[in-house]
Every structure is written in structure tokens, then in C-alpha cells.
Amino acid sequence: MITIDLITGFLGSGKTTFLRKYVKYLLSQGENICILENDYGAVNVDMMLLSDLMGDRCDMEMVAGGCDADCHRRRFKSKLIEMGMIGYTHVLVEPSGVFDVDEFYDSLHEDPLNRWYRAGAQITIVDAGLDIPLSDTSQYVFASEAANAGKILFSKTQLNPPDAPTKILSYLNESLTKINCKRQITSDEIMAKDWSTLTDDDFKALENSGYKDYSFEKQQVMDEHKYESLYFMEKNFAPAELKEKALAAIKDPECGGIIRIKGFWKDGADGWQELNVTKENFTEEPIENGQDIVIVIGERLGKEKLSSIFGEPAEIHAD
């Protein structure tokens, strides 16, 4: 059977960065892999960022959103059926920042998927520098996507105080209680270390971490309070200009509840630079593939103010 892992995590937690490392480990173990992106926007930046991993033993597919929950579930199941006939040994599902985890497990119990796929690990990425407390909507998403994780993997530990994971774990457990989930995550269910020091043994522990089976109170928060993504394309910002605009936007309350700003600029003839900005962290790093685009993700975004900073957006999309 095909092993299928679910990689969850709140917006900006580092799922795509982790996937790059995890895929390289699985390839070293002889796996034939497909990465399945569940995306709700018109521009799938994560697919672009992972494209250099593609090769004879690693493919990538996408389930596009923009439809209701039932339609999205049908698309997800159809894509897995299609993939089940190709000969992969391992499938990795990376959803967008907002995802109903039950959709994943319910689909795997349906015929014919239950004959082809075996649920492997659910790994939830949590930012050690997460800006807490979160809004009610974000707190629900944060808790629901971690409730059944086999392992909680903290990101950006090297950028934060040593006790940061303990504080975030305490908040996560409070959030689980708030959604009436009986689970309380313990220290032996987390991994908190600098990702540059992750070993094959660490990845093997993550791969074999499995998943839990806890129920919690479902909330229809997304019907009332939506996340939004604004795309600003082909603006040709110089690096210093893009940094200045991103920092100004994330500090301005008129721009709304920005969770993350991601942008790219061309760096020489062959390379790109990626900019990631949250209220707590500012990072830039070289990448192989890129696109002239700035993406602002958040809650109740101030479109008018953001347009005055970045120009008219190409698209606004509610997740």
C-alpha cells in the first residue's frame, strides 16, 4: 500500500521548508514520492518553491480550491485515485494554511482509497516564535490542525529564546481545551531543535510518528471570518523597496490582521531571493526558482491601505 503523510501547520509555520528536507530524506531511503498540494489560491507559490525537487522519483500534483467543501473533497479523492495508479510508494499532502483535517482521514476510509493508501504520519509544524494570543479564528485553526498530530515539530527554534517552545506548547494545549479536545500534548510528542541539525534518525522518528484519533468541537468559523490572500504581481520592486513596504504594512493596523507577507525578487541572472515577514520574524534567503510576486495573507485585510503600499492587487481570495 501507499503510505500517505499529512503535513499541517499554521500559516507561515514553515511547512514548505520542512517538506524540502523531508523529501530529500525519503528519496535517500529509495522512496518514489508525490507531493500533493491542497491550495486555495490562483498562484501556488509552494509548488514553485518545490519544483527543483522534481525528478524521476519525485512528482508534484495540486488540488485547486475555489469551490465549496463537498466539491473540494471530490477533487481531493479523484486526485488520489489518479495518483494511486501511478506507482508511488509515498505521498505527502501539504494543505494550505486553512484545512479540515477530517476531510483527509474520511477520504482515506472510502473505497477505493482504503485499498490503496495507508495513513502514515501527521506532522504538525509549529513556529516557536508564533505571535500569541491568536484571534478566535486563528486559535481554532491552530488547535484543530494539531489535535491528531503524531509529532509536533517546532520551527525557528534557533531564532527564539530556549523556553519559547514550552510557552507555545502551553498555549497549544489551552487551545485544544478551548475546542473541547481531550488531548494534551506532552514533551515526548514534540521535537524542538534547529532544523539544520536534523539527522536521519530524527526524520525516521517523524516518519514513524503516526497520528492520533481525538475528536473536538467543530466550528464553522470560516463562514463568518475568512482568511484572505492578496496577490501583487509584476510590481518590479527593488529589494530595499520591497523590504521597506513589507515592514511598513505589517506594522500598520490599517492593513488589517496580517499574518504573513511573502515576496520575491530576481537576484542576478539565475537566482532569486525569497522574503518572509511576520510580526516576529524577518527572513530572506536565496532560492532556485521564483516569480515577481508579493503575497499578503491575513484576516480582514485592509485592501485599500495595502493597495496604497503595493499597488492594485491582482487577486483577493478568501480561504
Side-chain angles (χ1 to χ4, degrees):
M1 298 183 78
I2 304 167
T3 299
I4 183 167
D5 294 341
L6 179 63
I7 314 298
T8 64
F10 193 62
L11 296 161
S13 60
K15 296 190 301 295
T16 302
T17 301
F18 169 71
L19 260 180
R20 294 184 62 83
K21 295 178 178 293
Y22 191 40
V23 165
K24 290 176 181 178
Y25 160 74
L26 292 174
L27 288 174
S28 74
Q29 305 303 304
E31 300 274 13
N32 294 313
I33 302 167
C34 187
I35 304 167
L36 179 57
E37 293 278 337
N38 266 258
D39 195 85
Y40 289 86
V43 182
N44 192 315
V45 175
D46 289 342
M47 287 193 74
M48 175 184 70
L49 295 177
L50 294 167
S51 62
D52 63 299
L53 296 174
M54 300 302 98
D56 292 340
R57 294 191 291 115
C58 184
D59 291 329
M60 188 178 301
E61 297 284 350
M62 182 178 76
V63 177
C67 57
D68 60 41
D70 288 340
C71 175
H72 184 266
R73 182 170 173 174
R74 288 194 300 271
R75 290 181 181 179
F76 180 66
K77 182 178 179 180
S78 296
K79 179 59 69 173
L80 287 179
I81 290 172
E82 175 187 326
M83 292 164 55
M85 297 183 286
I86 295 177
Y88 301 117
T89 61
H90 215 121
V91 170
L92 308 177
V93 177
E94 183 198 11
S96 68
V98 181
F99 182 69
D100 184 353
V101 174
D102 284 347
E103 174 186 308
F104 174 80
Y105 290 108
D106 289 347
S107 296
L108 294 187
H109 286 106
E110 296 175 359
D111 189 71
L113 298 184
N114 58 359
R115 293 185 275 120
W116 294 344
Y117 290 93
R118 179 187 71 85
Q122 181 184 332
I123 304 166
T124 297
I125 313 299
V126 175
D127 185 351
L130 184 67
D131 185 20
I132 55 175
L134 301 171
S135 70
D136 288 344
T137 298
S138 294
Q139 189 176 16
Y140 170 76
V141 173
F142 178 55
S144 67
E145 293 191 350
N148 289 306
K151 186 73 77 173
I152 303 294
L153 175 63
F154 278 94
S155 63
K156 308 170 192 174
T157 55
Q158 75 279 10
L159 303 176
N160 292 279
D163 63 343
T166 300
K167 292 180 179 179
I168 301 298
L169 179 60
S170 177
Y171 182 73
L172 176 55
N173 282 328
E174 291 174 14
S175 302
L176 290 168
T177 298
K178 187 174 180 179
I179 63 172
N180 292 323
C181 179
K182 294 182 178 180
R183 184 179 188 186
Q184 291 290 280
I185 298 167
T186 59
S187 59
D188 63 341
E189 295 174 310
I190 71 170
M191 185 179 292
K193 60 188 302 185
D194 184 339
W195 285 5
S196 66
T197 67
L198 290 173
T199 65
D200 281 359
D201 285 342
D202 291 327
F203 285 114
K204 185 175 182 179
L206 292 167
E207 181 188 8
N208 294 328
S209 61
Y211 64 97
K212 308 297 183 182
D213 186 17
Y214 284 90
S215 61
F216 53 87
E217 183 179 327
K218 303 283 278 191
Q219 299 177 19
Q220 299 301 318
V221 292
M222 303 314 299
D223 293 338
E224 304 167 0
H225 190 161
K226 294 183 180 295
Y227 290 91
E228 297 173 318
S229 301
L230 269 67
Y231 298 84
F232 302 90
M233 303 181 69
E234 305 296 335
K235 300 299 183 181
N236 298 309
F237 295 129
E241 182 184 15
L242 175 57
K243 296 174 191 177
E244 181 181 356
K245 288 178 178 293
L247 289 171
I250 207 158
K251 294 177 181 178
D252 192 335
E254 290 187 39
C255 292
I258 297 176
I259 296 171
R260 181 189 191 188
I261 298 176
K262 176 180 283 192
F264 305 87
W265 68 84
K266 197 79 167 67
D267 183 23
D270 301 316
W272 289 80
Q273 290 284 331
E274 176 189 4
L275 176 72
N276 273 289
V277 182
T278 67
K279 289 181 179 178
E280 298 297 320
N281 291 303
F282 176 101
T283 62
E284 53 182 303
E285 58 184 341
I287 57 171
E288 188 168 319
N289 299 304
Q291 184 178 353
D292 186 357
I293 186 171
V294 178
I295 304 174
V296 181
I297 304 170
E299 303 176 68
R300 296 177 178 172
L301 295 176
K303 182 180 178 183
E304 184 175 343
K305 182 64 175 179
L306 285 165
S307 297
S308 72
I309 296 174
F310 294 106
E312 193 63 25
E315 170 187 337
I316 182 169
H317 184 81
D319 289 335

